[in-house]
Amino acid sequence: MLDDCGAYLPLGLAEVLGSAGVDVEVISRFAVIGQHLVETLELPWMLPRLAAAGVTLTPNHFVEAIGERRVEVYTTWNKRTRIVEDVDTVVLAMLRSPRDELYHELLAGGTVPVHRIGDAVSPRTTSDATYEGEKLGREL
């Protein structure tokens, strides 16, 4: 799995897959796997669960190429490459896009005031969405 967002979602998926007996390696260009979970205080709870699920964490790496049953990864510090063999599936956690269908549907209905926050505006971290929700709540 390539985690290029540092958020909860790819690690949660890695935990589910690992707990189901799947061999999972999370590769991330960041120095800390799940770096955004540090600010929400979730990382100290997530890391032991990933370890219990047998998930391998590989920070400071990125994917160079995906081939048939193999993935070439490299270290971000020195570009040293290694090949991961016998790969069945590659999950890419990157390039997220907003989900605002419900907002537009409610807006078109025009029966209640509607506000858009969090990932409905643009994909962002949990702490950003929480802040926006609190701010909107105080404004109302």
Coordinates of all heavy atoms in Angstrom, one line a residue, residues 9-77:
L9 N -7.2 6.9 7.0 CA -7.8 5.9 6.1 C -6.9 4.8 5.6 O -7.2 3.6 5.8 CB -8.4 6.6 4.9 CG -9.2 5.7 3.9 CD1 -10.4 5.0 4.6 CD2 -9.6 6.5 2.7
P10 N -5.7 5.1 5.1 CA -4.9 3.9 4.6 C -4.4 3.0 5.8 O -4.3 1.8 5.6 CB -3.7 4.6 3.9 CG -3.7 6.0 4.3 CD -5.1 6.3 4.7
L11 N -4.2 3.6 6.9 CA -3.7 2.8 8.0 C -4.9 1.9 8.6 O -4.7 0.8 9.0 CB -3.1 3.7 9.1 CG -1.9 4.4 8.7 CD1 -1.3 5.2 9.9 CD2 -0.8 3.5 8.1
G12 N -6.1 2.5 8.6 CA -7.2 1.7 9.0 C -7.5 0.5 8.1 O -7.7 -0.6 8.5
L13 N -7.3 0.8 6.8 CA -7.5 -0.3 5.8 C -6.3 -1.3 6.0 O -6.6 -2.5 5.9 CB -7.4 0.3 4.4 CG -7.5 -0.8 3.3 CD1 -8.8 -1.6 3.4 CD2 -7.4 -0.1 1.9
A14 N -5.1 -0.9 6.2 CA -4.0 -1.8 6.4 C -4.3 -2.7 7.7 O -4.0 -3.9 7.7 CB -2.7 -1.0 6.6
E15 N -4.9 -2.1 8.7 CA -5.2 -2.9 9.9 C -6.2 -3.9 9.6 O -6.1 -5.1 10.0 CB -5.7 -1.9 11.0 CG -6.1 -2.7 12.3 CD -6.7 -1.8 13.3 OE1 -7.1 -0.6 13.0 OE2 -6.9 -2.3 14.4
V16 N -7.3 -3.6 8.9 CA -8.3 -4.5 8.6 C -7.8 -5.7 7.7 O -8.0 -6.8 8.0 CB -9.5 -3.8 7.8 CG1 -10.4 -4.8 7.2 CG2 -10.2 -2.9 8.7
L17 N -7.0 -5.3 6.7 CA -6.4 -6.4 5.9 C -5.4 -7.2 6.6 O -5.4 -8.5 6.5 CB -5.7 -5.7 4.6 CG -6.6 -5.0 3.6 CD1 -5.8 -4.3 2.6 CD2 -7.5 -6.0 3.0
G18 N -4.5 -6.6 7.4 CA -3.6 -7.4 8.2 C -4.3 -8.3 9.2 O -3.9 -9.5 9.4
S19 N -5.3 -7.8 9.8 CA -6.1 -8.6 10.8 C -6.8 -9.8 10.1 O -7.1 -10.8 10.8 CB -7.1 -7.8 11.5 OG -6.5 -6.8 12.3
A20 N -7.0 -9.7 8.8 CA -7.7 -10.8 8.0 C -6.6 -11.7 7.5 O -7.0 -12.7 6.8 CB -8.5 -10.2 6.9
G21 N -5.3 -11.5 7.9 CA -4.3 -12.5 7.4 C -3.6 -12.1 6.2 O -2.7 -12.9 5.7
V22 N -3.8 -10.9 5.6 CA -3.2 -10.5 4.4 C -1.8 -9.9 4.8 O -1.7 -9.2 5.8 CB -4.0 -9.4 3.7 CG1 -3.3 -8.9 2.5 CG2 -5.4 -10.0 3.3
D23 N -0.8 -10.2 4.1 CA 0.5 -9.6 4.3 C 0.5 -8.2 3.7 O 0.2 -8.0 2.5 CB 1.7 -10.3 3.6 CG 2.0 -11.7 4.2 OD1 1.8 -11.8 5.4 OD2 2.4 -12.6 3.5
V24 N 0.7 -7.2 4.6 CA 0.5 -5.8 4.2 C 1.8 -5.0 4.5 O 2.3 -5.1 5.6 CB -0.7 -5.1 4.9 CG1 -0.8 -3.6 4.5 CG2 -2.0 -5.8 4.6
E25 N 2.3 -4.2 3.5 CA 3.4 -3.3 3.8 C 2.9 -1.9 3.4 O 2.4 -1.7 2.3 CB 4.6 -3.6 3.0 CG 5.7 -2.7 3.2 CD 7.0 -3.0 2.4 OE1 7.0 -4.0 1.6 OE2 8.0 -2.3 2.6
V26 N 3.0 -1.0 4.3 CA 2.6 0.4 4.0 C 3.9 1.2 3.8 O 4.8 1.2 4.6 CB 1.8 1.1 5.2 CG1 1.5 2.5 4.9 CG2 0.6 0.3 5.6
I27 N 3.9 1.7 2.6 CA 5.1 2.5 2.1 C 4.7 4.0 2.1 O 3.6 4.3 1.5 CB 5.6 2.0 0.7 CG1 6.1 0.6 0.9 CG2 6.7 3.0 0.2 CD1 6.3 -0.1 -0.5
S28 N 5.5 4.9 2.6 CA 5.2 6.3 2.6 C 6.4 7.1 2.5 O 7.5 6.8 3.0 CB 4.5 6.7 4.0 OG 4.2 8.0 4.0
R29 N 6.3 8.2 1.8 CA 7.4 9.2 1.6 C 7.7 10.0 2.8 O 8.8 10.5 3.0 CB 7.2 10.1 0.4 CG 6.0 11.0 0.6 CD 5.7 11.9 -0.6 NE 4.4 12.5 -0.6 CZ 4.3 13.8 -0.1 NH1 5.3 14.5 0.3 NH2 3.1 14.3 -0.1
F30 N 6.7 10.0 3.8 CA 6.9 10.7 5.0 C 7.8 10.0 6.0 O 8.0 8.8 5.9 CB 5.5 11.0 5.7 CG 4.5 11.7 4.8 CD1 3.4 11.1 4.4 CD2 4.8 13.0 4.3 CE1 2.5 11.7 3.6 CE2 3.9 13.6 3.5 CZ 2.7 13.0 3.1
A31 N 8.4 10.8 6.9 CA 9.3 10.2 7.9 C 8.6 9.4 8.9 O 9.2 8.6 9.5 CB 10.2 11.3 8.5
V32 N 7.3 9.8 9.1 CA 6.5 9.1 10.1 C 5.3 8.5 9.3 O 4.5 9.3 8.7 CB 6.0 10.0 11.2 CG1 5.1 9.3 12.1 CG2 7.2 10.5 12.0
I33 N 5.0 7.2 9.4 CA 3.8 6.7 8.8 C 2.6 7.2 9.6 O 2.6 7.2 10.8 CB 3.9 5.1 8.9 CG1 5.0 4.5 8.2 CG2 2.5 4.5 8.4 CD1 4.9 4.5 6.7
G34 N 1.7 7.7 8.9 CA 0.5 8.3 9.5 C 0.8 9.6 10.2 O 0.3 9.9 11.3
Q35 N 1.6 10.5 9.6 CA 2.1 11.7 10.2 C 0.9 12.6 10.7 O 1.1 13.3 11.7 CB 3.0 12.5 9.4 CG 2.4 13.2 8.2 CD 3.4 14.1 7.5 OE1 4.6 13.9 7.6 NE2 2.9 15.0 6.7
H36 N -0.2 12.6 10.0 CA -1.3 13.5 10.5 C -2.0 12.9 11.7 O -2.8 13.7 12.3 CB -2.3 13.7 9.3 CG -1.7 14.5 8.2 ND1 -1.2 15.8 8.4 CD2 -1.5 14.2 6.9 CE1 -0.7 16.3 7.2 NE2 -0.9 15.3 6.3
L37 N -1.8 11.7 12.0 CA -2.4 11.1 13.2 C -1.6 11.6 14.5 O -2.1 11.4 15.6 CB -2.4 9.6 13.1 CG -3.5 9.0 12.4 CD1 -3.4 9.3 10.9 CD2 -3.6 7.5 12.6
V38 N -0.5 12.2 14.3 CA 0.2 12.7 15.5 C -0.6 13.9 16.0 O -0.8 14.0 17.2 CB 1.6 13.2 15.1 CG1 2.3 14.0 16.2 CG2 2.5 12.0 14.6
E39 N -1.0 14.8 15.2 CA -1.7 16.0 15.6 C -3.1 15.7 16.2 O -3.7 16.5 17.0 CB -1.9 17.0 14.5 CG -2.6 16.5 13.3 CD -2.3 17.3 12.0 OE1 -1.1 17.6 11.8 OE2 -3.2 17.6 11.3
T40 N -3.7 14.5 15.8 CA -5.0 14.2 16.4 C -4.9 13.2 17.6 O -5.9 12.7 18.1 CB -5.9 13.5 15.3 OG1 -5.3 12.4 14.8 CG2 -6.2 14.5 14.2
L41 N -3.6 12.9 17.9 CA -3.3 12.0 19.0 C -3.8 10.5 18.8 O -4.0 9.8 19.7 CB -3.9 12.5 20.4 CG -3.5 13.9 20.7 CD1 -4.1 14.3 22.0 CD2 -1.9 14.0 20.9
E42 N -4.0 10.2 17.5 CA -4.4 8.8 17.2 C -3.2 7.9 17.0 O -3.4 6.6 17.1 CB -5.3 8.8 15.9 CG -6.6 9.6 16.1 CD -7.3 9.8 14.8 OE1 -6.8 10.6 13.9 OE2 -8.3 9.2 14.6
L43 N -2.1 8.4 16.6 CA -1.0 7.5 16.2 C -0.5 6.6 17.3 O -0.3 5.4 17.1 CB 0.2 8.3 15.7 CG 1.3 7.5 15.0 CD1 0.8 6.8 13.8 CD2 2.5 8.4 14.6
P44 N -0.4 7.0 18.6 CA -0.1 6.0 19.7 C -1.0 4.9 19.8 O -0.7 3.8 20.3 CB 0.0 6.9 20.9 CG 0.1 8.3 20.5 CD -0.6 8.4 19.1
W45 N -2.3 5.1 19.4 CA -3.3 4.0 19.5 C -3.2 3.1 18.2 O -3.5 1.9 18.3 CB -4.7 4.6 19.6 CG -4.8 5.4 20.9 CD1 -4.7 6.8 21.0 CD2 -4.9 5.0 22.2 NE1 -4.8 7.2 22.3 CE2 -5.0 6.1 23.1 CE3 -5.0 3.7 22.8 CZ2 -5.1 6.0 24.4 CZ3 -5.2 3.6 24.1 CH2 -5.2 4.7 25.0
M46 N -2.9 3.7 17.1 CA -2.9 3.0 15.8 C -1.7 2.1 15.7 O -1.8 1.0 15.2 CB -2.9 4.0 14.6 CG -2.9 3.4 13.3 SD -4.1 2.1 13.0 CE -5.5 3.1 12.5
L47 N -0.5 2.6 16.0 CA 0.7 1.8 15.8 C 0.7 0.4 16.5 O 1.1 -0.6 15.8 CB 2.0 2.6 16.2 CG 2.3 3.8 15.4 CD1 3.5 4.5 15.9 CD2 2.5 3.4 13.9
P48 N 0.3 0.3 17.7 CA 0.2 -1.1 18.3 C -0.8 -2.0 17.6 O -0.6 -3.2 17.5 CB -0.2 -0.8 19.8 CG 0.1 0.6 20.1 CD 0.0 1.3 18.7
R49 N -1.9 -1.4 17.1 CA -2.9 -2.2 16.4 C -2.3 -2.7 15.1 O -2.5 -3.8 14.7 CB -4.2 -1.4 16.2 CG -4.9 -1.1 17.5 CD -6.3 -0.6 17.4 NE -6.7 0.1 16.1 CZ -7.0 1.3 16.0 NH1 -7.0 2.1 17.1 NH2 -7.4 1.8 14.9
L50 N -1.5 -1.8 14.4 CA -0.9 -2.3 13.1 C 0.1 -3.3 13.4 O 0.2 -4.3 12.7 CB -0.2 -1.1 12.5 CG -1.2 0.0 11.9 CD1 -0.4 1.2 11.4 CD2 -2.0 -0.6 10.7
A51 N 0.9 -3.2 14.5 CA 1.9 -4.2 14.9 C 1.2 -5.5 15.2 O 1.6 -6.6 14.7 CB 2.7 -3.8 16.1
A52 N 0.1 -5.5 15.9 CA -0.7 -6.7 16.2 C -1.2 -7.4 15.0 O -1.3 -8.6 14.9 CB -1.8 -6.4 17.2
A53 N -1.5 -6.6 14.0 CA -2.1 -7.1 12.7 C -1.0 -7.6 11.8 O -1.2 -8.1 10.7 CB -2.9 -6.1 12.0
G54 N 0.3 -7.4 12.2 CA 1.4 -7.8 11.4 C 1.7 -6.9 10.2 O 2.4 -7.4 9.2
V55 N 1.3 -5.7 10.2 CA 1.5 -4.8 9.1 C 3.0 -4.2 9.2 O 3.4 -3.8 10.2 CB 0.5 -3.6 9.2 CG1 0.8 -2.5 8.1 CG2 -0.9 -4.1 9.0
T56 N 3.7 -4.3 8.0 CA 5.0 -3.7 7.9 C 4.9 -2.2 7.6 O 4.2 -1.9 6.6 CB 5.8 -4.5 6.9 OG1 5.9 -5.9 7.2 CG2 7.2 -3.9 6.8
L57 N 5.6 -1.4 8.3 CA 5.6 0.0 8.0 C 7.0 0.4 7.4 O 8.0 0.2 8.0 CB 5.4 0.8 9.3 CG 4.1 0.5 10.0 CD1 3.9 1.3 11.3 CD2 2.9 0.7 9.1
T58 N 7.0 1.1 6.3 CA 8.2 1.5 5.6 C 8.2 3.0 5.3 O 7.7 3.4 4.2 CB 8.4 0.7 4.3 OG1 8.3 -0.7 4.6 CG2 9.8 0.9 3.7
P59 N 8.6 3.8 6.2 CA 8.7 5.3 5.9 C 9.8 5.6 5.0 O 10.7 4.8 4.8 CB 8.8 5.9 7.3 CG 9.5 4.8 8.1 CD 9.1 3.5 7.6
N60 N 9.8 6.9 4.6 CA 10.9 7.4 3.8 C 11.2 6.6 2.5 O 12.3 6.4 2.0 CB 12.2 7.5 4.6 CG 12.1 8.4 5.7 OD1 11.6 9.5 5.6 ND2 12.6 8.0 6.9
H61 N 10.1 6.1 1.9 CA 10.2 5.3 0.6 C 9.1 5.8 -0.3 O 8.1 6.4 0.2 CB 10.1 3.8 0.9 CG 11.3 3.2 1.4 ND1 11.7 3.4 2.7 CD2 12.2 2.3 0.9 CE1 12.8 2.7 2.9 NE2 13.1 2.0 1.8
F62 N 9.3 5.5 -1.6 CA 8.2 5.8 -2.5 C 8.3 4.8 -3.6 O 9.2 4.1 -3.8 CB 8.4 7.2 -3.1 CG 7.1 7.8 -3.6 CD1 6.1 8.2 -2.7 CD2 6.8 8.0 -4.9 CE1 4.9 8.8 -3.1 CE2 5.6 8.5 -5.3 CZ 4.7 8.9 -4.4
V63 N 7.2 4.7 -4.4 CA 7.1 3.7 -5.5 C 7.6 4.3 -6.8 O 7.2 5.3 -7.2 CB 5.6 3.2 -5.6 CG1 5.5 2.4 -6.8 CG2 5.1 2.5 -4.4
E64 N 8.5 3.6 -7.3 CA 9.1 3.9 -8.6 C 8.3 3.3 -9.8 O 8.0 4.0 -10.8 CB 10.6 3.5 -8.7 CG 11.2 3.8 -10.0 CD 11.5 5.3 -10.2 OE1 11.6 6.0 -9.3 OE2 11.5 5.7 -11.4
A65 N 7.9 2.1 -9.6 CA 7.2 1.4 -10.7 C 6.4 0.2 -10.2 O 6.8 -0.4 -9.2 CB 8.2 0.8 -11.8
I66 N 5.3 0.0 -10.8 CA 4.4 -1.2 -10.5 C 4.4 -2.0 -11.7 O 4.0 -1.6 -12.8 CB 3.0 -0.7 -10.1 CG1 3.1 0.2 -8.9 CG2 2.1 -1.9 -9.8 CD1 1.8 0.9 -8.5
G67 N 4.8 -3.3 -11.6 CA 4.8 -4.2 -12.7 C 3.9 -5.4 -12.3 O 3.1 -5.4 -11.4
E68 N 4.0 -6.4 -13.1 CA 3.2 -7.6 -12.9 C 3.8 -8.4 -11.7 O 4.9 -8.9 -11.8 CB 3.2 -8.5 -14.2 CG 2.2 -9.6 -14.1 CD 2.0 -10.3 -15.4 OE1 2.1 -9.7 -16.5 OE2 1.8 -11.5 -15.4
R69 N 3.0 -8.4 -10.6 CA 3.4 -9.1 -9.4 C 4.7 -8.6 -8.7 O 5.3 -9.3 -7.9 CB 3.4 -10.6 -9.6 CG 2.1 -11.1 -10.0 CD 1.9 -12.6 -9.9 NE 2.4 -13.2 -8.7 CZ 1.7 -13.3 -7.5 NH1 0.5 -12.7 -7.5 NH2 2.1 -13.8 -6.5
R70 N 5.1 -7.3 -9.0 CA 6.3 -6.8 -8.4 C 6.1 -5.2 -8.4 O 5.5 -4.6 -9.2 CB 7.5 -7.2 -9.1 CG 7.6 -6.8 -10.6 CD 8.8 -7.3 -11.3 NE 9.9 -6.4 -11.1 CZ 11.2 -6.8 -11.1 NH1 11.5 -8.0 -11.5 NH2 12.1 -5.9 -10.9
V71 N 6.8 -4.7 -7.3 CA 6.8 -3.2 -7.2 C 8.2 -2.8 -6.9 O 8.9 -3.4 -6.0 CB 5.8 -2.8 -6.0 CG1 5.9 -1.3 -5.8 CG2 4.4 -3.2 -6.2
E72 N 8.6 -1.8 -7.6 CA 10.0 -1.2 -7.3 C 9.8 0.0 -6.4 O 9.1 0.9 -6.8 CB 10.7 -0.9 -8.6 CG 12.1 -0.3 -8.4 CD 12.7 0.0 -9.8 OE1 12.3 -0.4 -10.8 OE2 13.7 0.8 -9.7
V73 N 10.5 0.0 -5.3 CA 10.4 1.1 -4.3 C 11.8 1.7 -4.1 O 12.8 1.0 -4.4 CB 9.8 0.7 -3.0 CG1 8.4 0.2 -3.2 CG2 10.6 -0.3 -2.3
Y74 N 11.9 2.9 -3.7 CA 13.2 3.5 -3.5 C 13.1 4.4 -2.2 O 12.1 4.9 -1.8 CB 13.6 4.4 -4.7 CG 12.8 5.6 -4.9 CD1 13.1 6.8 -4.3 CD2 11.7 5.5 -5.8 CE1 12.3 7.9 -4.6 CE2 10.9 6.7 -6.1 CZ 11.2 7.9 -5.5 OH 10.4 9.0 -5.7
T75 N 14.3 4.5 -1.6 CA 14.4 5.3 -0.4 C 14.5 6.8 -0.8 O 15.2 7.1 -1.8 CB 15.8 4.9 0.3 OG1 15.8 3.5 0.5 CG2 15.9 5.6 1.6
T76 N 13.7 7.6 -0.1 CA 13.7 9.0 -0.5 C 15.0 9.7 -0.2 O 15.3 10.8 -0.8 CB 12.5 9.7 0.2 OG1 12.7 9.6 1.6 CG2 11.2 9.2 -0.3
W77 N 15.8 9.2 0.7 CA 17.1 9.8 1.0 C 18.2 9.6 0.0 O 19.0 10.6 -0.3 CB 17.6 9.3 2.4 CG 16.7 9.7 3.5 CD1 15.8 8.9 4.2 CD2 16.4 11.0 4.1 NE1 15.1 9.5 5.1 CE2 15.5 10.9 5.1 CE3 17.0 12.2 3.8 CZ2 15.0 11.9 5.8 CZ3 16.5 13.3 4.6 CH2 15.6 13.1 5.6

